[in-house]
Amino acid sequence: MEFVRSLGYRTSLSLLHQSGSTVVDHRDHVTVSTADNPDFWWGNFLLLRQAPSTEQAPEWVARFEAELPWARHRAFGLDDPHPPSIAFDAFAGLGYEVERSTVMTTESVPRTSRPAADATCRPLEGDSDWEQHLDLSLIVYPGSEADSGPSFARARAETRRRVVETGAGVWVGAFVGDQLVSQLGVVRAGRALGRYQDVETHPEFRRRGLAGTLVSLAGNLALTSREVSTLVMVADPDDEAIRLYRALGFTESEHQLEGSLAPSLSP
C-alpha cells in the first residue's frame, strides 16, 4: 500500500487487504470494497486523493454508488497526512458526519507508569478466549456502531483470529479471574509497521490501568517478534484515551479525515 501517502490510511488498507477486502488504485482515488460484508462501512469506501469542491462532492457520491452498489451507507476518506479541517466541508454540506482523527507513532516499547496489578495480561489463545473476545466487543459496542450487529462482530472476530494464527499479528487481553475484561491487538500493516486495533475495556473495569498495560505488552510483542519497527495508533483527539497514549510515549505525526452518511440518511 505504498501508493497511499497517509500513514493512517496506509495501515488501514493493509489490514483490510489482509482480511480479504479488495483495494484498487485509480490514481485520483482508491476503492476499498468488501462485497460479502456490505454493512462494513470502512471496508466499503472511497479514499480520495484531493478534497472535493462543492460541485465535485455529488459527483463523488455518484461514483461511490456506481463502484459499491451493494453499500447502503456512503463513506469517504482523504489521502492527505495533514488535511485542513475544512477539507470535507463539501460533504458536510450534504449532511455527512465528518471526523478528524490523530495518527500517533512510536519506535520504542510503550512504557506504562501504572501497570495493572489485579489482572493477568497475556495473548488470546483457544476457543474460549476468542468467544470472550466476541462477547466483550458486544458489551463495549452494544449495537451502537455504524457497522453494528452480532453477525458483523462475529465476522470481525473470526478475521482477527485468522490474522493472529497466521502470525501477522497479536491480540492480548487482561483477565480478572477467568473473565476477559480488556483487549486490543497489533497487526503487521505494511513494511515494518504495526497498527494497534480496537482498544476495548469492559465498562466496569475502566480506570484500572488495563489498557495501558495491554498497549505496552502488545507493543513489546510486536517490536520483538513481528518484524515491526514502528507502532501506529489512530485516536480520537477529543477522547481522554489520547492522554494515555502520549504518556506511553506515542507522538502525534499525522491527522486523518473521513466523512460518512448513515444508511437511513442515504438516498
Side-chain angles (χ1 to χ4, degrees):
M1 304 302 165
E2 299 301 320
F3 54 83
V4 176
R5 292 188 300 150
S6 164
L7 184 59
Y9 279 115
R10 189 190 316 159
T11 52
S12 291
L13 267 56
S14 177
L15 297 179
L16 288 164
H17 180 69
Q18 290 180 54
S19 66
S21 298
T22 300
V23 179
V24 180
D25 182 12
H26 299 283
R27 292 191 178 183
D28 62 344
H29 74 288
V30 178
T31 302
V32 181
S33 60
T34 313
D36 59 352
N37 194 353
D39 294 327
F40 183 11
W41 287 26
W42 297 106
N44 295 281
F45 74 101
L46 300 188
L47 179 64
L48 309 186
R49 299 296 192 189
Q50 295 183 340
S53 66
T54 301
E55 294 75 21
Q56 292 170 331
E59 297 174 2
W60 279 115
V61 173
R63 190 77 170 265
F64 180 102
E65 294 166 356
E67 295 189 18
L68 304 169
W70 52 82
R72 296 180 301 123
H73 67 281
R74 305 289 181 267
F76 298 89
L78 184 63
D79 185 19
D80 183 342
H82 305 287
S85 299
I86 63 172
F88 269 5
D89 277 5
F91 284 127
L94 296 177
Y96 282 61
E97 180 179 3
V98 176
E99 297 182 303
R100 184 180 174 89
S101 301
T102 300
V103 181
M104 312 182 78
T105 59
T106 183
E107 296 180 355
S108 59
V109 176
R111 300 290 184 182
T112 177
S113 60
R114 187 189 171 201
D118 60 347
T120 300
C121 298
R122 59 171 176 79
L124 301 190
E125 54 186 20
D127 293 343
S128 177
D129 283 2
W130 285 103
E131 279 299 319
Q132 287 205 66
H133 166 89
L134 174 60
D135 292 342
L136 179 56
S137 291
L138 291 173
I139 289 171
V140 174
Y141 300 110
S144 62
E145 291 184 314
D147 307 317
S148 62
S151 60
F152 173 83
R154 181 168 291 279
R156 182 175 60 180
E158 291 171 353
T159 297
R160 290 170 174 173
R161 184 174 183 176
R162 285 197 301 272
V163 168
V164 169
E165 291 179 346
T166 60
V170 60
W171 219 275
V172 296
F175 294 80
V176 174
D178 294 327
Q179 181 184 3
L180 177 64
V181 297
S182 186
Q183 61 184 352
L184 58 84
V186 175
V187 179
R188 193 164 62 245
R191 189 178 304 167
L193 298 172
R195 170 72 180 266
Y196 278 89
Q197 294 280 280
D198 300 304
V199 181
E200 299 172 347
T201 301
H202 193 293
E204 296 178 5
F205 291 87
R206 291 172 181 167
R207 301 183 185 280
R208 299 190 184 188
L210 298 175
T213 300
L214 292 181
V215 169
S216 180
L217 172 61
N220 182 50
L221 291 171
L223 289 172
T224 58
S225 64
R226 304 290 171 179
E227 300 179 5
V228 168
S229 60
T230 301
L231 298 170
V232 182
M233 174 83 75
V234 178
D236 181 345
D238 298 321
D239 193 311
E240 62 182 25
I242 199 168
R243 293 198 297 271
L244 167 65
Y245 305 142
R246 291 190 184 110
L248 290 168
F250 287 85
T251 57
E252 300 178 14
S253 59
E254 297 181 2
H255 288 90
Q256 181 172 302
L257 201 65
E258 59 189 38
S260 60
L261 190 67
S264 61
L265 301 176
S266 301

